[in-house]
Amino acid sequence: MNKEKLLEAVRIAFFKTVEAGLFLDTHPSCRKAGAYFEKASEEYAEALAAYERNIGPLSVTSAGGSCWNWIDSPWPWQMGV
């Protein structure tokens, strides 16, 4: 899978997780929403792990203490230049 597809999977899973969490803020006893949130959270964790395994850290919290290699890639505004 290429970088764009991996990143898109992360974005979609993150969006689903956040939206489900917001819904649960107003409907905390909805079991269906709770199950959806759990599934979306797992999907997000898997997508993030796949991205970081194949491309590199996506955030400073994933980089570790001595790995700052995300600066080796083009920044978002440098893409396509």
Side-chain angles (χ1 to χ4, degrees):
M1 206 178 265
N2 67 27
K3 183 177 182 175
E4 290 78 23
K5 288 186 180 187
L6 289 167
L7 188 56
E8 185 68 13
V10 172
R11 288 179 181 147
I12 290 169
F14 181 74
F15 178 82
K16 290 164 59 174
T17 303
V18 170
E19 288 297 309
L22 291 171
F23 183 82
L24 285 167
D25 283 346
T26 57
H27 301 80
S29 60
C30 180
R31 290 185 201 182
K32 190 173 178 181
Y36 182 85
F37 176 81
E38 290 298 321
K39 184 178 177 194
S41 295
E42 290 171 12
E43 184 181 324
Y44 174 68
E46 291 169 7
L48 184 61
Y51 182 92
E52 291 179 343
R53 183 174 50 253
N54 291 292
I55 307 300
L58 196 56
S59 70
V60 69
T61 58
S62 315
S66 61
C67 177
W68 303 101
N69 66 347
W70 67 81
I71 64 172
D72 297 336
S73 300
W75 291 91
W77 55 87
Q78 295 172 318
M79 299 292 185
V81 175

